[in-house]
Amino acid sequence: MRSGGQPFRRGLLHSFRCAFRGVWLCLCSERNMRIHALACGYVLFFAVKMGIAWGELALLLLAMGMVTAAEALNTAIEKLCDFVQPQQDRRIGVVKDMAAGGVALGAAFAALTGAAVLLRPELWEVLRQIAGTPWKLTLFAVSLGASLWVVFGLPLVRPGDRME
């Protein structure tokens, strides 16, 4: 409360800062969020290289947003469950499984969307161009290696480490 009894209103900038902090914490603490983020990057790379239509790009962005948002919500639900009930509890396990199931459903339908939009001759042409040019193939292989390192090599922040 401010002096005079009026509630304190946080600014819009503060709200965005908190939201981006939440995204960052998800990336730092959840391997699956890293996988989703990197998959989004590769999907966008191929979509741009293929020159897909704006409507198709919108579908891909919607699918990617759905999956990453579901993963963030799943993470929040898991963290809240762990806070409320630190011990093993069958009911908490059911809640966590349902939240994870929501992510799995979103990811499956996003993959189907990606396949419907990207699996066409232009994709194979882009792949042939990459494979047929040594420096492009090297760069792509390095990016895949770096992606694997980001997913599996970087340490995950454990709850309580920096999760204020």
Side-chain angles (χ1 to χ4, degrees):
M1 288 272 192
R2 287 185 181 175
S3 60
Q6 293 181 344
F8 178 75
R9 291 192 192 146
R10 296 182 193 260
L12 186 61
L13 183 61
H14 178 77
S15 297
F16 278 107
R17 192 168 55 239
C18 289
F20 287 118
R21 180 173 168 255
V23 171
W24 179 251
L25 290 172
C26 282
L27 284 167
C28 291
S29 67
E30 298 300 315
R31 181 169 287 124
N32 288 345
M33 183 61 102
R34 292 179 189 177
I35 292 169
H36 295 310
L38 290 167
C40 290
Y42 283 108
V43 166
L44 290 175
F45 169 80
F46 283 108
V48 168
K49 291 292 281 181
M50 292 169 58
I52 66 168
W54 285 106
E56 293 171 317
L57 180 60
L59 287 175
L60 292 175
L61 291 171
L62 184 62
M64 291 185 288
M66 176 188 64
V67 172
T68 53
E71 185 65 47
L73 291 171
N74 177 52
T75 299
I77 289 168
E78 287 182 356
K79 302 288 185 210
L80 181 61
C81 286
D82 291 344
F83 177 76
V84 170
Q85 180 56 271
Q87 290 81 30
Q88 285 285 106
D89 185 300
R90 182 188 56 78
R91 296 167 297 181
I92 293 292
V94 168
V95 170
K96 287 180 169 185
D97 289 348
M98 289 175 162
V103 176
L105 284 170
F109 281 95
L112 290 171
T113 301
V117 171
L118 297 176
L119 288 180
R120 55 186 180 198
E122 293 92 332
L123 175 63
W124 311 122
E125 182 55 36
V126 169
L127 290 171
R128 270 193 292 279
Q129 288 174 4
I130 291 171
T133 310
W135 71 268
K136 288 180 182 178
L137 184 59
T138 301
L139 195 59
F140 192 72
V142 167
S143 80
L144 286 175
S147 295
L148 289 172
W149 181 77
V150 165
V151 170
F152 299 107
L154 286 179
L156 296 172
V157 175
R158 299 291 172 209
D161 287 352
R162 286 187 305 177
M163 301 287 290
E164 294 105 34

